[in-house]
Amino acid sequence: MSGPAPGAAAAGRERRRGRIGWLEQTLAGITASIEHAVFTEQHARERGFLQARDPRAKLAIFLALVLAASLSGSITVLAGLYLVVLAAAGASHVPYRYFVKRVWLGIPLVAGIVVIPALFLVPGPRLFDLPAGPLHVAPSLPGVVGGVIFVARVGVSVSLALLLVMTTPWADLLKSLRALHVPQVFVLILSMTYRYIFLFLHTVNGVLQARKSRVVGRTSGAEQRRWISGTMGALVNRAFKMSNDVYAAMLARGFTGELRAYSTYRMRTTDWAVLAGSLTVAAVGVLAGPFLP
Amino acid sequence: MSAGGSRPSHAIELEGVSFVYPDGTWALRDVCLAVPEGGRVAIVGQNGSGKSTLLRHLNGLLRPSAGRVLVRGRETAGVPVERIARQVGLLFQNPDLQIFEEQVADEVAFGPRNLGLTGADLASAVMEALEAVGLRGLEHANPFNLGFSRRKLVALAAILAMRTPIVALDEPTTGQDGRGLGLVEEVVRRLADEGRTVLATSHDMRFVAETFERVVVMREGAIVADGTPDEVFAPAAWEVLRSTHLDPPPAAVVGGALGLGSTPTEAQLVAALRERDARYG
Ligand SMILES: Nc1ncnc2c1ncn2[C@@H]1O[C@H](COP(=O)(O)OP(=O)(O)OP(=O)(O)O)[C@@H](O)[C@H]1O
Ligand SMILES: [Mg+2]
């Protein structure tokens, strides 16, 4: 069995069978795509604009732009930031369709839950009033504007994060955290989390497949939810044991808790220039935001 | 040599080791085992008989509930795993619990780098190990894109690259095809030739009979037989073997019937059968 293949293959098979619950399909799809995109570091190893930058510069740029996005209440600034992100993604050979779809299809799931009540609860003039039985569907203008800005902010931040992760090998990312004086313990926990997530996803996929091969008939939504919640406990347990084992295996190879660096980086002129440019963009965004729609 | 001077030099000594998992499972019961420097010992037994638990005691990942573990004459109690790791390399049964780097070469370099190897020494340790398991040319592959058997070989290379005097292999043959099996056999032989001590668990009785000089049979956490392959696979011991759901290798059965002992080579078997053919046929 090879790494990402089983997840992807299983997802495909499930889609063809057509009577698999969306929950399982989403899980299988997410695990397969995360594994493929992040874990194989397929894009991080390409020769693109961002891949060539010093990871420390990239991390600093990322932090500055995310800060700008979260401070900004202006849709113009957010749109501008997103354009910068798209341009950088293009220059780094990150496939647009994949990049755009991943982010904006995923966000409604998360942000929508937070935003939808706000659309109706925020006081202000109503956009329209649609009577639906005893209820009135009447979103308020400030509620909708707030919702759009919230979704845009999340979208831009997630895009930035995805771009950073996709164009930087994980080990380099961790090393640059150290360079920014993030405590060693924190970096270690992060590095363990990464291993842990991977193993966790594998377990999820394995369990789903094992279950699939045992469940012949149709299962109801309620049954599926019960199964998922029951399984989650067992999975967390198993993943915890796994991460313990992985750590044991590292100790068994003489690991003393010190991350050793393999590639050494040097900030080049381009890195400094890109860093300065991004910091300017972030500053302009934050400062100009209040004067823009 | 130890201070006493009378003790022969042992790579590994287990003295009355018992181990109970936190959930109350008795995984080892009063195990006594001494392996001389340069010894080649196979540990066999049915699933759950305690083989992996035993190996995890060798580098201190598990500590005995009772009894003592000595590595090269020194008691391991109180010595951290990462220090014992300089003496004992342990191949995990499940390679996925061992592999975490994104490139085969990085994975194999992890151990020796922790032991302080750098530069050309590190590179040659990695290349030599990859060569030994037949994975040269896959240095830059992502281990997780390789199949199970090759992931297992990556994990094996990662242990070999540490060049420890003692090597413990938990089921190195699982999932290997003929070629992989041959590579693993070759690895064990070469380690022995270099004077290093090898302990391995396996369910492949042919591999065990042909590659090891001593076989330890475990059942329910205890050692129930311990001897040369000839002794352990001899008809007299089959009952003990079968009590732990192991079958003697076919060669031992045929060899026993032909009066060739229990570890005949293929060539000896063929010759004996030919002779019988000629006599009766
Ligand atoms: N972490 C654990 N917690 C509790 N019990 C365990 C744990 N690991 C193993 N055991 C139990 O200890 C006993 C010995 O297990 P061990 O893994 O050492 O056997 P094994 O001989 O290696 O088996 P296999 O051939 O399947 O690898 C078994 O009964 C097993 O269920
Ligand atoms: Mg085992």
Short mmCIF file of all heavy atoms in Angstrom, two decimals, chain A residues 180-217:
data_model
loop_
_atom_site.label_atom_id
_atom_site.label_comp_id
_atom_site.label_asym_id
_atom_site.label_seq_id
_atom_site.Cartn_x
_atom_site.Cartn_y
_atom_site.Cartn_z
N LEU A 180 12.92 32.73 14.85
CA LEU A 180 12.16 33.86 15.38
C LEU A 180 12.05 33.77 16.90
O LEU A 180 11.21 34.40 17.51
CB LEU A 180 10.76 33.91 14.76
CG LEU A 180 10.70 34.14 13.25
CD1 LEU A 180 9.25 34.28 12.81
CD2 LEU A 180 11.49 35.38 12.85
N HIS A 181 12.87 32.93 17.49
CA HIS A 181 12.95 32.78 18.95
C HIS A 181 11.69 32.24 19.58
O HIS A 181 11.37 32.55 20.72
CB HIS A 181 13.36 34.11 19.60
CG HIS A 181 14.73 34.53 19.17
ND1 HIS A 181 15.87 33.94 19.64
CD2 HIS A 181 15.12 35.44 18.26
CE1 HIS A 181 16.92 34.48 19.06
NE2 HIS A 181 16.49 35.39 18.21
N VAL A 182 10.96 31.42 18.81
CA VAL A 182 9.87 30.67 19.41
C VAL A 182 10.53 29.58 20.25
O VAL A 182 11.47 28.93 19.78
CB VAL A 182 8.96 30.06 18.32
CG1 VAL A 182 7.93 29.14 18.93
CG2 VAL A 182 8.31 31.16 17.52
N PRO A 183 10.09 29.38 21.49
CA PRO A 183 10.79 28.41 22.36
C PRO A 183 10.86 27.01 21.75
O PRO A 183 9.93 26.56 21.10
CB PRO A 183 9.93 28.39 23.64
CG PRO A 183 9.14 29.64 23.59
CD PRO A 183 8.99 30.03 22.17
N GLN A 184 11.97 26.35 21.99
CA GLN A 184 12.22 25.00 21.49
C GLN A 184 11.08 24.04 21.83
O GLN A 184 10.64 23.24 21.00
CB GLN A 184 13.53 24.48 22.11
CG GLN A 184 13.82 23.03 21.86
CD GLN A 184 14.60 22.83 20.59
OE1 GLN A 184 15.53 23.56 20.30
NE2 GLN A 184 14.22 21.84 19.81
N VAL A 185 10.59 24.14 23.04
CA VAL A 185 9.53 23.23 23.47
C VAL A 185 8.31 23.37 22.57
O VAL A 185 7.71 22.39 22.12
CB VAL A 185 9.11 23.54 24.93
CG1 VAL A 185 7.99 22.62 25.36
CG2 VAL A 185 10.29 23.43 25.85
N PHE A 186 7.97 24.60 22.24
CA PHE A 186 6.83 24.85 21.41
C PHE A 186 7.03 24.26 20.01
O PHE A 186 6.15 23.63 19.44
CB PHE A 186 6.58 26.37 21.32
CG PHE A 186 5.37 26.73 20.54
CD1 PHE A 186 4.11 26.53 21.08
CD2 PHE A 186 5.48 27.25 19.26
CE1 PHE A 186 2.99 26.85 20.35
CE2 PHE A 186 4.36 27.57 18.53
CZ PHE A 186 3.11 27.37 19.08
N VAL A 187 8.24 24.46 19.49
CA VAL A 187 8.55 23.92 18.16
C VAL A 187 8.48 22.40 18.18
O VAL A 187 7.96 21.77 17.26
CB VAL A 187 9.94 24.40 17.70
CG1 VAL A 187 10.31 23.76 16.37
CG2 VAL A 187 9.98 25.90 17.59
N LEU A 188 8.97 21.81 19.26
CA LEU A 188 8.94 20.36 19.39
C LEU A 188 7.50 19.85 19.40
O LEU A 188 7.16 18.88 18.73
CB LEU A 188 9.61 19.95 20.69
CG LEU A 188 10.92 19.23 20.52
CD1 LEU A 188 11.48 18.86 21.86
CD2 LEU A 188 10.74 18.00 19.65
N ILE A 189 6.66 20.54 20.15
CA ILE A 189 5.26 20.13 20.21
C ILE A 189 4.64 20.21 18.83
O ILE A 189 3.93 19.31 18.38
CB ILE A 189 4.48 21.02 21.22
CG1 ILE A 189 4.95 20.71 22.64
CG2 ILE A 189 2.98 20.79 21.09
CD1 ILE A 189 4.38 21.63 23.68
N LEU A 190 4.97 21.29 18.11
CA LEU A 190 4.46 21.43 16.75
C LEU A 190 4.94 20.29 15.87
O LEU A 190 4.17 19.73 15.09
CB LEU A 190 4.94 22.75 16.15
CG LEU A 190 3.94 23.88 16.13
CD1 LEU A 190 4.53 25.07 15.38
CD2 LEU A 190 2.65 23.44 15.45
N SER A 191 6.21 19.95 16.00
CA SER A 191 6.74 18.91 15.12
C SER A 191 6.11 17.57 15.44
O SER A 191 5.84 16.76 14.56
CB SER A 191 8.26 18.85 15.21
OG SER A 191 8.65 18.18 16.37
N MET A 192 5.81 17.35 16.71
CA MET A 192 5.12 16.12 17.09
C MET A 192 3.69 16.13 16.55
O MET A 192 3.18 15.12 16.08
CB MET A 192 5.07 15.96 18.61
CG MET A 192 6.39 15.60 19.25
SD MET A 192 7.11 14.14 18.52
CE MET A 192 5.84 12.94 18.90
N THR A 193 3.06 17.30 16.62
CA THR A 193 1.68 17.42 16.15
C THR A 193 1.58 17.03 14.69
O THR A 193 0.64 16.36 14.26
CB THR A 193 1.20 18.87 16.32
OG1 THR A 193 1.50 19.29 17.63
CG2 THR A 193 -0.27 18.98 16.06
N TYR A 194 2.59 17.45 13.94
CA TYR A 194 2.59 17.15 12.52
C TYR A 194 2.61 15.65 12.27
O TYR A 194 1.80 15.11 11.52
CB TYR A 194 3.83 17.80 11.92
CG TYR A 194 3.99 17.61 10.45
CD1 TYR A 194 3.05 18.11 9.56
CD2 TYR A 194 5.11 16.95 9.94
CE1 TYR A 194 3.23 17.96 8.21
CE2 TYR A 194 5.28 16.80 8.60
CZ TYR A 194 4.34 17.30 7.73
OH TYR A 194 4.51 17.15 6.40
N ARG A 195 3.52 15.00 12.97
CA ARG A 195 3.59 13.53 12.84
C ARG A 195 2.27 12.90 13.29
O ARG A 195 1.74 12.00 12.68
CB ARG A 195 4.72 13.00 13.71
CG ARG A 195 6.02 13.09 13.01
CD ARG A 195 7.14 13.52 13.88
NE ARG A 195 8.09 14.28 13.07
CZ ARG A 195 9.12 14.91 13.56
NH1 ARG A 195 9.35 14.92 14.83
NH2 ARG A 195 9.93 15.55 12.76
N TYR A 196 1.79 13.44 14.37
CA TYR A 196 0.57 12.93 14.99
C TYR A 196 -0.61 13.08 14.03
O TYR A 196 -1.39 12.16 13.82
CB TYR A 196 0.39 13.74 16.27
CG TYR A 196 -0.87 13.57 17.04
CD1 TYR A 196 -0.92 12.70 18.11
CD2 TYR A 196 -2.00 14.31 16.73
CE1 TYR A 196 -2.06 12.57 18.85
CE2 TYR A 196 -3.14 14.19 17.47
CZ TYR A 196 -3.18 13.32 18.52
OH TYR A 196 -4.32 13.19 19.24
N ILE A 197 -0.71 14.26 13.39
CA ILE A 197 -1.82 14.48 12.47
C ILE A 197 -1.76 13.49 11.32
O ILE A 197 -2.75 12.88 10.95
CB ILE A 197 -1.79 15.92 11.90
CG1 ILE A 197 -2.28 16.89 12.96
CG2 ILE A 197 -2.65 16.04 10.65
CD1 ILE A 197 -2.18 18.34 12.56
N PHE A 198 -0.57 13.29 10.82
CA PHE A 198 -0.44 12.37 9.70
C PHE A 198 -0.90 10.97 10.09
O PHE A 198 -1.69 10.34 9.41
CB PHE A 198 1.01 12.32 9.22
CG PHE A 198 1.25 11.19 8.28
CD1 PHE A 198 0.77 11.25 6.99
CD2 PHE A 198 1.89 10.06 8.71
CE1 PHE A 198 0.96 10.19 6.14
CE2 PHE A 198 2.07 8.99 7.86
CZ PHE A 198 1.61 9.07 6.57
N LEU A 199 -0.41 10.51 11.23
CA LEU A 199 -0.78 9.17 11.68
C LEU A 199 -2.27 9.11 11.97
O LEU A 199 -2.94 8.13 11.68
CB LEU A 199 0.01 8.80 12.93
CG LEU A 199 1.47 8.56 12.67
CD1 LEU A 199 2.26 8.48 13.95
CD2 LEU A 199 1.65 7.28 11.87
N PHE A 200 -2.78 10.20 12.52
CA PHE A 200 -4.19 10.27 12.84
C PHE A 200 -5.03 10.12 11.57
O PHE A 200 -5.97 9.34 11.52
CB PHE A 200 -4.48 11.60 13.53
CG PHE A 200 -5.88 11.73 14.03
CD1 PHE A 200 -6.28 11.06 15.17
CD2 PHE A 200 -6.80 12.51 13.36
CE1 PHE A 200 -7.57 11.18 15.64
CE2 PHE A 200 -8.10 12.63 13.81
CZ PHE A 200 -8.49 11.96 14.95
N LEU A 201 -4.65 10.86 10.54
CA LEU A 201 -5.39 10.80 9.28
C LEU A 201 -5.33 9.38 8.71
O LEU A 201 -6.32 8.87 8.20
CB LEU A 201 -4.80 11.79 8.26
CG LEU A 201 -5.02 13.25 8.61
CD1 LEU A 201 -4.35 14.14 7.57
CD2 LEU A 201 -6.50 13.56 8.68
N HIS A 202 -4.16 8.79 8.81
CA HIS A 202 -4.03 7.42 8.31
C HIS A 202 -4.97 6.48 9.03
O HIS A 202 -5.59 5.62 8.45
CB HIS A 202 -2.59 6.95 8.47
CG HIS A 202 -1.91 6.82 7.15
ND1 HIS A 202 -1.50 5.63 6.65
CD2 HIS A 202 -1.64 7.74 6.22
CE1 HIS A 202 -0.98 5.82 5.46
NE2 HIS A 202 -1.04 7.10 5.19
N THR A 203 -5.03 6.68 10.35
CA THR A 203 -5.90 5.83 11.15
C THR A 203 -7.34 6.03 10.75
O THR A 203 -8.09 5.07 10.58
CB THR A 203 -5.73 6.15 12.64
OG1 THR A 203 -4.35 6.25 12.91
CG2 THR A 203 -6.35 5.10 13.50
N VAL A 204 -7.73 7.30 10.57
CA VAL A 204 -9.11 7.60 10.18
C VAL A 204 -9.43 6.86 8.88
O VAL A 204 -10.45 6.17 8.77
CB VAL A 204 -9.32 9.12 10.00
CG1 VAL A 204 -10.67 9.38 9.36
CG2 VAL A 204 -9.22 9.82 11.33
N ASN A 205 -8.55 7.00 7.92
CA ASN A 205 -8.78 6.35 6.63
C ASN A 205 -8.86 4.85 6.77
O ASN A 205 -9.73 4.20 6.19
CB ASN A 205 -7.66 6.71 5.66
CG ASN A 205 -8.11 7.78 4.70
OD1 ASN A 205 -9.30 8.04 4.58
ND2 ASN A 205 -7.17 8.39 4.02
N GLY A 206 -7.94 4.31 7.56
CA GLY A 206 -7.91 2.87 7.76
C GLY A 206 -9.20 2.38 8.39
O GLY A 206 -9.80 1.40 7.93
N VAL A 207 -9.65 3.09 9.40
CA VAL A 207 -10.87 2.69 10.10
C VAL A 207 -12.07 2.79 9.16
O VAL A 207 -12.92 1.91 9.12
CB VAL A 207 -11.08 3.55 11.36
CG1 VAL A 207 -12.46 3.33 11.93
CG2 VAL A 207 -10.01 3.24 12.39
N LEU A 208 -12.11 3.87 8.38
CA LEU A 208 -13.22 4.04 7.44
C LEU A 208 -13.26 2.88 6.45
O LEU A 208 -14.31 2.33 6.15
CB LEU A 208 -13.08 5.36 6.68
CG LEU A 208 -13.46 6.62 7.45
CD1 LEU A 208 -13.18 7.86 6.61
CD2 LEU A 208 -14.91 6.58 7.86
N GLN A 209 -12.08 2.53 5.94
CA GLN A 209 -12.04 1.47 4.95
C GLN A 209 -12.40 0.13 5.56
O GLN A 209 -13.13 -0.66 4.97
CB GLN A 209 -10.66 1.40 4.32
CG GLN A 209 -10.49 2.45 3.25
CD GLN A 209 -9.05 2.55 2.80
OE1 GLN A 209 -8.30 1.58 2.89
NE2 GLN A 209 -8.68 3.71 2.30
N ALA A 210 -11.87 -0.08 6.77
CA ALA A 210 -12.16 -1.35 7.45
C ALA A 210 -13.67 -1.46 7.69
O ALA A 210 -14.27 -2.52 7.52
CB ALA A 210 -11.42 -1.43 8.77
N ARG A 211 -14.28 -0.34 8.03
CA ARG A 211 -15.70 -0.36 8.31
C ARG A 211 -16.48 -0.60 7.01
O ARG A 211 -17.39 -1.41 6.96
CB ARG A 211 -16.13 0.96 8.92
CG ARG A 211 -17.63 1.04 9.13
CD ARG A 211 -17.99 2.25 9.93
NE ARG A 211 -19.43 2.38 10.10
CZ ARG A 211 -20.22 3.01 9.26
NH1 ARG A 211 -19.70 3.57 8.19
NH2 ARG A 211 -21.51 3.09 9.47
N LYS A 212 -16.04 0.11 5.97
CA LYS A 212 -16.68 -0.01 4.68
C LYS A 212 -16.75 -1.46 4.25
O LYS A 212 -17.75 -1.94 3.74
CB LYS A 212 -15.87 0.79 3.66
CG LYS A 212 -16.50 0.91 2.34
CD LYS A 212 -17.01 2.33 2.13
CE LYS A 212 -17.87 2.84 3.24
NZ LYS A 212 -17.39 4.03 3.83
N SER A 213 -15.64 -2.18 4.49
CA SER A 213 -15.62 -3.55 4.01
C SER A 213 -16.50 -4.45 4.86
O SER A 213 -16.78 -5.57 4.49
CB SER A 213 -14.18 -4.06 3.99
OG SER A 213 -13.53 -3.74 5.17
N ARG A 214 -16.94 -3.97 6.01
CA ARG A 214 -17.81 -4.79 6.84
C ARG A 214 -19.29 -4.41 6.73
O ARG A 214 -20.15 -5.21 7.02
CB ARG A 214 -17.36 -4.72 8.31
CG ARG A 214 -16.19 -5.64 8.59
CD ARG A 214 -15.74 -5.51 10.02
NE ARG A 214 -15.09 -4.20 10.22
CZ ARG A 214 -15.04 -3.59 11.38
NH1 ARG A 214 -15.60 -4.13 12.43
NH2 ARG A 214 -14.44 -2.44 11.49
N VAL A 215 -19.52 -3.13 6.33
CA VAL A 215 -20.90 -2.70 6.21
C VAL A 215 -21.36 -2.93 4.78
O VAL A 215 -20.83 -2.32 3.85
CB VAL A 215 -21.04 -1.20 6.55
CG1 VAL A 215 -22.46 -0.73 6.32
CG2 VAL A 215 -20.62 -0.97 7.98
N VAL A 216 -22.29 -3.83 4.61
CA VAL A 216 -22.71 -4.15 3.25
C VAL A 216 -23.92 -3.31 2.85
O VAL A 216 -23.98 -2.71 1.79
CB VAL A 216 -23.00 -5.64 3.09
CG1 VAL A 216 -23.36 -5.97 1.66
CG2 VAL A 216 -21.80 -6.45 3.54
N GLY A 217 -24.87 -3.20 3.77
CA GLY A 217 -26.10 -2.50 3.43
C GLY A 217 -25.99 -1.00 3.58
O GLY A 217 -24.93 -0.45 3.82
#
